[in-house]
Amino acid sequence: MAQDTLSKLRAAVRDVPDFPKAGIIFKDITPILKDGALFRSSVDIFLHQLRNKRIDKIVGIDARGFLFGSAVAYELGIGFVPLRKKGRLPYRTESARYSLEYGEAEMELHIDAIERGEKIVLIDDLLATGGTSASAATLIEKVGGDLIEAIFLIELEFLHGREKLKPTPVTSFLKY
Ligand code: AMP
């Protein structure tokens, strides 16, 4: 992917200090989403990473992972599975608790969302401590999926989140 594209995306990410809590610098991606060309190129960099790979489904993390994940699944012509915060999915679920950079949470996945042995790619906007993605990985494997890769637009490298995802290969495009 062209360096120029990555520079433009990086320039559009807005730092919002002390959101949602004091001491957190929130990486706001809405300036990317509201710009047609930037939104398209942000989805294209995920697609570039996934071209020519055999993937059965994309799992996107609530809520910003849905934005990129569903666009990628649509373009690849494969299924999209939402991994949601507790209490949002209507059918029977598997769940996993985890801790966040700013709090505690529980994620859920429909028990029939993934068939045994399906090749899964996990997508979210940002990798911070890795707690959310690690619980996603646990859930994907619990329902029989084969998590082959996790991809993020942004990675906060100083939080070492990718360690929690081992041995799953992790790709990110904008590193801080
Ligand atoms: P973590 O479990 O710590 O890796 O947190 C990742 C999840 O929380 C992702 O779904 C992100 O969207 C969100 N998140 C965590 N920290 C930030 C941050 N500094 N800016 C924006 N989103 C964040």
Side-chain angles (χ1 to χ4, degrees), residues 30-174:
T30 61
I32 292 177
L33 301 174
K34 75 174 181 184
D35 180 303
L38 285 179
F39 183 40
R40 184 182 284 275
S41 52
S42 69
V43 174
D44 284 348
I45 57 175
F46 282 91
L47 287 167
H48 186 74
Q49 171 68 18
L50 293 175
R51 286 272 179 238
N52 307 318
K53 291 186 181 163
R54 212 210 100 201
I55 309 158
D56 296 305
K57 279 177 185 147
I58 300 290
V59 170
I61 296 180
D62 198 346
R64 290 178 297 275
F66 298 170
L67 305 168
F68 301 108
S70 61
V72 168
Y74 174 85
E75 183 61 28
L76 294 178
I78 60 176
F80 174 80
V81 172
L83 193 113
R84 299 217 63 183
K85 288 168 190 154
K86 189 181 169 53
R88 304 271 173 81
L89 288 172
Y91 185 59
R92 284 162 51 209
T93 59
E94 282 287 358
S95 67
R97 286 196 70 76
Y98 65 101
S99 54
L100 279 170
E101 193 187 1
Y102 43 78
E104 275 248 313
E106 189 166 347
M107 299 299 284
E108 293 183 329
L109 193 64
H110 274 153
I111 52 161
D112 62 352
I114 292 169
E115 304 296 322
R116 191 151 294 281
E118 277 188 326
K119 299 211 173 299
I120 306 297
V121 169
L122 180 67
I123 286 184
D124 201 1
D125 67 326
L126 183 144
L127 177 66
T129 65
T132 315
S133 308
S135 79
T138 304
L139 283 173
I140 290 163
E141 269 146 32
K142 223 172 180 177
V143 299
D146 176 14
L147 178 60
I148 57 163
E149 191 164 349
I151 316 182
F152 305 87
L153 181 65
I154 298 169
E155 178 176 6
L156 305 183
E157 284 187 306
F158 55 92
L159 293 171
H160 307 293
R162 63 170 64 221
E163 299 294 322
K164 287 213 184 90
L165 273 163
K166 274 185 175 163
T168 304
V170 173
T171 298
S172 69
F173 307 109
L174 308 176

